[in-house]
Amino acid sequence: MKITDSDFKVWNPRQYLVEYFPPNVDAEPIVRFCVEESYKLPPKASVIDVGCGPTVCYWLSVAPRTQQLFLSDYLESNLVEQKKWVNQTADCYDWSSYTRLILQYEGLKDVSAGRVMEREKQARQKVSGYYACDINEKNPLGELRQFDAVISLCVADSITDSKTVWERYMHNIFSLIRPGGLFIGAAMRNCTHYDIEQVQYPAANVNEDDFRKLMLDYGFEPNSLRIKIDQESHPMDHQKQKTQLRAEYDEIVLASGVLCS
């Protein structure tokens, strides 16, 4: 089953998490990149995750260095999944192995269950609100607001098969960054589609050169750009799942930069 760019009625947040964020991970390159880039945030930063989906581990990676953290998505079902975790409902998804990984990326060698729980408690306290968000609109949040940092990870590239549309979506996302603010992003590299069970979703087939040109044209400081390629990473004991993903893409583009003041 192949869906169009705008038809995500069949989207199942929990199935996405089960397939793409299994437990017992030993590496996650986007999480590692977010941790590294989070040290560039100013004190008391306001941060928004644009197109957060049902994924907690990305914004959790930057939470310690924020004062206010906002979650936004087009689909209410994704925000419902986020709220389950923030509110610690009985059926919330378990992100503890990713929290452990975040602490390890921060330099902790022996991460106890207590440290994991404390970090997750701290992250929940940073969540300051939720937004309905449509990156097809010039004002994605429906109100004029800018943030010290915007993270948007595998979002604009994963809802269209058009590179031109991807560029427009990214411009709308960039509009939420205040002058001098930070962007942290990622995309599936050279990927034209991705599958969840029997459903095929579109992808924009972008690469590192597309990101560099996009960010320079928009007005990011050239010397601030950090654009790299990394391997898609899933646990080695989920080899079948890893093979399935690698049939669609096996690398990701990671990008960050500071918007000119």
Side-chain angles (χ1 to χ4, degrees), residues 178-181 219 221 258-261:
R178 67 164 179 79
E221 297 177 5
V258 175
L259 189 62
C260 290
S261 300

Side-chain angles (χ1 to χ4, degrees), residues 118-219:
E118 180 59 31
R119 173 55 61 87
E120 292 186 342
K121 177 182 178 181
Q122 180 190 41
R124 289 182 173 100
Q125 292 172 344
K126 297 296 182 71
V127 176
S128 302
Y130 304 86
Y131 282 101
C133 178
D134 186 353
I135 61 173
N136 187 49
E137 301 292 334
K138 287 187 176 180
N139 189 352
L141 302 182
E143 63 178 70
L144 295 175
R145 183 162 186 182
Q146 292 183 317
F147 302 83
D148 296 316
V150 167
I151 65 174
S152 191
L153 302 147
C154 299
V155 176
D157 67 299
S158 67
I159 57 174
T160 180
D161 59 8
S162 166
K163 195 172 293 188
T164 300
V165 173
W166 171 76
E167 292 173 350
R168 177 165 57 83
Y169 287 166
M170 292 300 296
H171 278 224
N172 294 340
I173 291 169
F174 290 158
S175 72
L176 299 174
I177 310 170
R178 67 164 179 79
L182 178 69
F183 171 74
I184 303 173
M188 299 172 287
R189 184 174 186 261
N190 297 330
C191 179
T192 60
H193 71 276
Y194 61 103
D195 298 337
I196 301 177
E197 288 195 317
Q198 303 303 313
V199 182
Q200 185 179 111
Y201 293 87
N205 193 21
V206 300
N207 60 34
E208 62 279 9
D209 295 330
D210 297 316
F211 254 110
R212 184 173 289 104
K213 183 178 186 304
L214 175 82
M215 295 177 75
L216 288 175
D217 288 349
Y218 192 84

Side-chain angles (χ1 to χ4, degrees), residues 2-211:
K2 183 176 180 179
I3 66 170
T4 63
D5 296 6
S6 59
D7 184 10
F8 271 73
K9 295 178 182 177
V10 297
W11 177 260
N12 185 326
R14 186 55 66 97
Q15 185 61 41
Y16 168 74
L17 294 179
V18 168
E19 292 196 24
Y20 280 77
F21 294 92
N24 303 318
V25 292
D26 54 13
E28 219 300 331
I30 297 179
V31 168
R32 180 172 60 239
F33 188 75
C34 287
V35 169
E36 293 169 352
E37 295 303 297
S38 71
Y39 291 101
K40 298 177 182 178
L41 291 170
K44 299 181 179 180
S46 62
V47 178
I48 187 168
D49 186 342
V50 176
C52 61
T55 308
V56 167
C57 61
Y58 297 155
W59 63 262
L60 198 151
S61 304
V62 306
R65 281 157 287 281
T66 68
Q67 183 173 30
Q68 291 183 308
L69 205 155
F70 298 88
L71 306 178
S72 67
D73 201 85
Y74 181 76
L75 296 176
E76 177 61 24
S77 60
N78 284 334
L79 293 178
V80 167
E81 195 68 38
Q82 293 281 356
K83 291 174 184 178
K84 287 180 181 179
W85 189 84
V86 173
N87 296 327
Q88 295 182 273
T89 64
D91 61 340
C92 70
Y93 200 71
D94 181 5
W95 290 97
S96 59
S97 61
Y98 291 85
T99 307
R100 184 179 303 276
L101 200 58
I102 290 167
L103 292 167
Q104 291 171 347
Y105 286 147
E106 292 176 349
L108 294 180
K109 296 187 182 298
D110 298 316
V111 181
S112 67
R115 293 296 294 269
V116 169
M117 292 177 62
E118 180 59 31
R119 173 55 61 87
E120 292 186 342
K121 177 182 178 181
Q122 180 190 41
R124 289 182 173 100
Q125 292 172 344
K126 297 296 182 71
V127 176
S128 302
Y130 304 86
Y131 282 101
C133 178
D134 186 353
I135 61 173
N136 187 49
E137 301 292 334
K138 287 187 176 180
N139 189 352
L141 302 182
E143 63 178 70
L144 295 175
R145 183 162 186 182
Q146 292 183 317
F147 302 83
D148 296 316
V150 167
I151 65 174
S152 191
L153 302 147
C154 299
V155 176
D157 67 299
S158 67
I159 57 174
T160 180
D161 59 8
S162 166
K163 195 172 293 188
T164 300
V165 173
W166 171 76
E167 292 173 350
R168 177 165 57 83
Y169 287 166
M170 292 300 296
H171 278 224
N172 294 340
I173 291 169
F174 290 158
S175 72
L176 299 174
I177 310 170
R178 67 164 179 79
L182 178 69
F183 171 74
I184 303 173
M188 299 172 287
R189 184 174 186 261
N190 297 330
C191 179
T192 60
H193 71 276
Y194 61 103
D195 298 337
I196 301 177
E197 288 195 317
Q198 303 303 313
V199 182
Q200 185 179 111
Y201 293 87
N205 193 21
V206 300
N207 60 34
E208 62 279 9
D209 295 330
D210 297 316
F211 254 110

